[in-house]
Amino acid sequence: MIRVLSFLAILLATNANAQDLAMPTSARQISERISPLDSYDLPTGAFANGIVPARTVEGRVERTTWRVQSGSSTTLQILSPLRDQLAAQGFDIIFECDSRNCGGFDFRFGTEVVPTPDMYVAIHDFRFLSATRGSDVLSLLVSRNPPDGFVQLIRVAPVEASSPPPLVIEEAVDGTLGILQVLQRDGHVILDDLHFSTGEVALGDGPFSSLRLLAAFLNENPRVKLALVGHTDDTGDLQANVAVSTKRAQAVRNRLIETHGVAADRIQAEGVGYLSPITSNSTSEGRYTNRRVEAVLLVN
């Protein structure tokens, strides 16, 4: 109960930015990504007719996540004090839902979520809300993986028209690294903002921040090349999965070439099917995690 009540202090100042939020002592900020000028599709309704209704807003976009020792607290117990604070600060709640009413899996993968491990979303146990206050807009996403709770705040504030368009900044918080830092440190990185359903090879419309970052990285490092490697879950036989994973990698390669202007000879696409899982395929969450595309750094 003490942990739940301590959330009442989470949003103190009316004009506070995401990085200034007062969190309870049990909370740890996991990540913070700041785009001084970017766009965000703010969900305004539940998944229906194949889409999540959204309002596109532009400005300074702050994407911040926290891990909280929630114990047996429900997602509503985590979200409710945050919602009360938003109301006290003058925000209007324009949309709110729980996992079932949001649209479950379809809503989760139809809206923007900070990539794992910085944000965890249980498909059947999350809550979401969108709020506005004048030209300020934000969304809150809350989920659980007991004994921990996870909170994601995406906030968009207007940028003065006279301000020059700055570069996107990806900041590390508490030792977490951005995808380019991981790519250079480890030689490979999972592109966590991409998603493919079982058996599907088409890449969504995006935009995908990972692809923008990779394109900029290649532009700044002309001697570097990338291999895109597709992976699947273990549904079906190996030959079919290798074909699917290759097509997924090719879809990402095509997007980098056609949308981001990357030279075709700088990227190759391969697929290995289900031969390199990063977690068990015994759960739907595990199968989702294993369906991925990784970027491999080629420096020679």
Side-chain angles (χ1 to χ4, degrees):
M1 178 62 72
I2 293 175
R3 288 170 178 159
V4 174
L5 293 176
S6 64
F7 264 94
L8 292 172
I10 190 171
L11 301 172
L12 289 181
T14 298
N15 296 317
N17 291 326
Q19 64 269 24
D20 298 325
L21 296 180
M23 295 293 292
T25 56
S26 66
R28 180 169 69 92
Q29 185 173 326
I30 300 299
S31 69
E32 179 181 76
R33 294 169 171 85
I34 300 175
S35 301
L37 184 60
D38 202 353
S39 62
Y40 170 56
D41 293 331
L42 179 74
T44 57
F47 178 86
N49 301 318
I51 63 169
V52 174
R55 166 189 163 195
T56 300
V57 290
E58 297 180 350
R60 173 186 169 91
V61 183
E62 302 171 0
R63 301 168 173 92
T64 312
T65 63
W66 293 269
R67 185 196 304 264
V68 181
Q69 295 178 11
S70 60
S72 61
S73 300
T74 65
T75 53
L76 180 58
Q77 287 176 304
I78 296 174
L79 179 64
S80 180
L82 307 182
R83 181 180 57 198
D84 292 344
Q85 288 293 317
L86 290 175
Q89 292 181 19
F91 279 92
D92 294 320
I93 310 301
I94 62 171
F95 172 61
E96 182 177 355
C97 61
D98 61 19
S99 53
R100 181 174 61 85
N101 294 323
C102 288
F105 180 95
D106 294 314
F107 182 89
R108 158 64 178 85
F109 293 109
T111 188
E112 181 175 339
V113 177
V114 171
T116 54
D118 296 341
M119 181 61 187
Y120 174 85
V121 180
I123 300 300
H124 303 295
D125 190 12
F126 69 85
R127 289 180 182 268
F128 178 91
L129 70 77
S130 297
T132 64
R133 185 186 62 195
S135 55
D136 284 331
V137 304
L138 62 79
S139 68
L140 278 170
L141 176 63
V142 174
S143 188
R144 295 191 314 141
N145 184 22
D148 294 324
F150 292 83
V151 178
Q152 170 186 287
L153 169 65
I154 298 182
R155 181 170 183 168
V156 185
V159 176
E160 294 182 6
S162 58
S163 301
L167 296 175
V168 172
I169 299 172
E170 186 173 17
E171 298 183 4
V173 176
D174 277 353
T176 61
L177 301 177
I179 68 164
L180 297 184
Q181 293 167 303
V182 173
L183 178 64
Q184 294 176 84
R185 183 195 65 185
D186 298 341
H188 65 97
V189 65
I190 298 172
L191 307 182
D192 270 326
D193 58 342
L194 311 181
H195 171 68
F196 299 91
S197 297
T198 298
E200 294 185 1
V201 299
L203 184 61
D205 293 335
F208 301 108
S209 61
S210 64
L211 301 189
R212 292 198 300 268
L213 290 169
L214 288 180
F217 177 74
L218 289 170
N219 184 55
E220 295 171 1
N221 298 274
R223 293 190 294 176
V224 167
K225 297 183 180 181
L226 291 178
L228 299 170
V229 183
H231 301 263
T232 66
D233 58 35
D234 64 353
T235 304
D237 63 39
L238 178 58
Q239 184 176 1
N241 275 283
V242 170
V244 166
S245 61
T246 301
K247 289 179 180 178
R248 288 173 177 169
Q250 290 170 341
V252 179
R253 178 178 181 270
N254 292 340
R255 184 65 57 85
L256 283 167
I257 294 170
E258 297 168 4
T259 301
H260 298 279
V262 176
D265 63 356
R266 303 284 304 282
I267 329 167
Q268 64 188 63
E270 306 292 343
V272 296
Y274 53 65
L275 293 178
S276 185
I278 56 177
T279 189
S280 171
N281 282 296
S282 61
T283 65
S284 58
E285 289 82 3
R287 291 189 293 274
Y288 160 73
T289 300
N290 287 329
R291 296 193 299 268
R292 68 196 190 279
V293 173
E294 295 188 40
V296 178
L297 185 62
L298 307 177
V299 295
N300 295 321

